[in-house]
Amino acid sequence: MKRTTIKDVAEAAGVGVATVSRVLSGGSASPETRERVLAVAAHLDYRPSALGRNLRQQRTGGIGLLLPDLTDPLYGRLAEGVLACARSAGEPVLVGSTGGDPEQESELIGMLLEQSVDKVVAVPSGDADTWGPALRTGMTVVFAGERPDEPTEEPVDDLLLLDGLRGRPRVEGGIPTVLADDRSGVRTAVQYLKGLGHRRIAYLGGPGHARRVSAFREALGPLVDDELVVFAGGSRDAAYAAASGLFQSRPDLTAVLAGGNQLGEAAVLAARELDLRIPRDLSLVMYDDVPWAELCSPPLTVIAQPAQDLGYRAAELVLRAGIRRPRSVLLPTELIVRGSCGPRR
Amino acid sequence: MKRTTIKDVAEAAGVGVATVSRVLSGGSASPETRERVLAVAAHLDYRPSALGRNLRQQRTGGIGLLLPDLTDPLYGRLAEGVLACARSAGEPVLVGSTGGDPEQESELIGMLLEQSVDKVVAVPSGDADTWGPALRTGMTVVFAGERPDEPTEEPVDDLLLLDGLRGRPRVEGGIPTVLADDRSGVRTAVQYLKGLGHRRIAYLGGPGHARRVSAFREALGPLVDDELVVFAGGSRDAAYAAASGLFQSRPDLTAVLAGGNQLGEAAVLAARELDLRIPRDLSLVMYDDVPWAELCSPPLTVIAQPAQDLGYRAAELVLRAGIRRPRSVLLPTELIVRGSCGPRR
DNA sequence: TTGAAAGCGCTAACAC
DNA sequence: GTGTTAGCGCTTTCAA
């Protein structure tokens, strides 16, 4: 089953290959030639080979998308955003799922390099070491939803850093990044909880939550209790263990902010297991809105981030790179109050 | 930023390009040459261009993945399965999301053709017309999770057709398909509900549910009530409208089988809105297990299908095609009893 | 064991 | 306006 090539079309139309190429890419040609070529091409069901074109042009179309886990509804929506933008630009998308593991991420970057994919949207898991090779090769990368963790533990003022006004250079060295405004999302949630009278508020975090936790500390101010800031690994089990451990070791806490939907899930499950009633015994705010948040009883109060937009904007940036110097973007979050928070008991 | 080519390596190592190619693809070479080439390649951080290779070999690596919606956890898991298999084979994956729309599906198939992707795993939305062009070009296609709908409405015996023993030829004309055993899943669920005393059982279906609904009818036998079999379009809103409409028009029904997780969501929401208590007033079984099924109160009884395996197996089939003649596969489903079903009121 | 050279499908530079 | 041709990076004969 041989593929129809430009040569076949040229022969059948009685013209040279260059003419066919021109006609198909909108170049100049006499109306009659154009028509004949078009007719023949349609008749032979000719499709130009992206392989040949890309090789020739030294410019591979296509954008790569690297994220931790397609199973997470957050990343699913983000991916849909990227796909939507890519489709409207007619670009194919190569997807890789890293499992949150820098090593796999690194391998997948290698794979993209091999495929000559030079535009990448990523929800990064690794740090500068992981992304260095990609950048050195001249890949255009845009981070979405996350940015590589700071190597340090010190709380840093992200907003200022984002504006590039001070602080030492960020690991990503100016890579455009599309983020939800975690700082403001967390602040709003914490203030809401404070307003309900809560004082002992816990943060249940996961990998890559440096920004959120720093915002949490800042919003809580002197109320912050280090024991109430816990981190879980990436897995569902780890999240459950962390939630359960937290609730058992500190029965005095009255509210918890779960830093992601898996952590929220874990919190709901752990609370149920320990017979903590939400919101009577424990108020819960979950980061990220997911469909099931509304199905829970009580329905969960959440910080919603525009996941699909995150992906769409990132894809836009990566496609426009070169044309316009891409800038980082901060998208708003929204506190959606449902039923999982009550006054301090 | 020019990319390192095989020529650069050859020059630097003082050998011909052919030798480099041979060494890198494990061909014969003298030990010392091999070592020198390898060293130089590593030093220059050389990565063979898949573009060049594929063009030359007329065989594009890479597999295409087409599915309705990455936002649906079912397809998310399926995609993870495909990605896992592809990664272990070192193959890149091109993903397209069709929104359940045959036209978009068709366009995406065109895009894959253009990219010379000749191996595709798909959760199909379109029918024979949509997939004809792909097959005619010699694409290897494997369907996963769904198969194109029969053009007819008559209930057909799928299992026998699957075995190719009788019935008129299926639209997909022998395309390997990896499916969950819906027939048995639905049968088990219906029998479970019958065992609880239910007689007026509804089926809440979506697009592509021909198999499930036929199994439903068969399992219910003479009890089937056509008014209780309703179909919703693909959207969340449509699902909600269908569920709500069903519950209002037929308050006498005592149990419902939701044919997918979005439909299950809709059922839970609609029931809550109408003050139908689950399971006291209404028993609910949902097709497909999702994390939030356990978080609902009551936790939902579900028919679980091995979504990730579906994807993995499909990818396996598509990669092995040519080596071994691929056969269709039926994977088991499982009824997971939680708390959303009770005895007939 | 190795190198030279052809050629995969395409576009762009150049000649007519 | 149109044809000829070189060459993108690679693998694979074919000779040496």
Side-chain angles (χ1 to χ4, degrees), chain A residues 67-68 97-108 123-126 130:
Chain A
L67 36 70
S97 144
T98 65
D101 173 14
E103 200 163 324
Q104 285 192 57
E105 189 171 62
S106 208
E107 273 175 36
L108 286 168
V123 181
S125 302
T130 313

Side-chain angles (χ1 to χ4, degrees), chain A residues 162 176-180 310 313 317 327-331:
Chain A
L162 193 68
T177 305
V178 181
L179 293 174
L310 248 34
R313 301 291 297 270
L317 282 191
R327 273 305 274 127
S328 290
V329 175
L330 214 54
L331 264 31

Side-chain angles (χ1 to χ4, degrees), chain B residues 32 56 68 93 131 143 202 236 249 251 256 282 289 299 304 334 344:
Chain B
E32 50 183 47
R56 169 65 222 238
V93 178
W131 287 96
F143 290 136
R236 280 204 150 75
S249 68
V256 59
L282 183 67
D289 192 20
E334 187 189 357
R344 172 165 65 149

Side-chain angles (χ1 to χ4, degrees), chain A residues 147 157-166 170 327 330:
Chain A
R147 76 162 56 127
D157 188 334
D158 287 301
L159 270 186
L160 288 181
L161 284 173
L162 193 68
D163 287 334
L165 295 180
R166 64 172 168 92
R170 303 205 56 94
R327 273 305 274 127
L330 214 54

Side-chain angles (χ1 to χ4, degrees), chain B residues 17-105:
Chain B
V17 289
T19 303
V20 176
S21 175
R22 263 185 239 112
V23 167
L24 262 48
S25 43
S28 64
S30 80
E32 50 183 47
T33 312
R34 144 168 280 109
E35 191 152 348
R36 196 166 68 252
V37 170
L38 253 24
V40 170
H43 179 249
L44 296 185
D45 194 31
Y46 168 66
R47 288 177 181 284
S49 150
L51 242 47
R53 180 179 28 238
N54 291 339
L55 180 54
R56 169 65 222 238
Q57 299 189 154
Q58 291 295 79
R59 158 194 73 75
T60 281
I63 101 171
L65 171 60
L66 259 35
L67 35 70
D69 176 17
L70 274 176
T71 271
D72 187 319
L74 174 65
Y75 301 133
R77 278 183 291 151
L78 192 146
E80 279 289 340
V82 172
L83 292 183
C85 180
R87 181 165 46 241
S88 71
E91 300 274 14
V93 178
L94 272 154
V95 178
S97 144
T98 65
D101 173 13
E103 200 163 323
Q104 283 193 57
E105 189 171 65

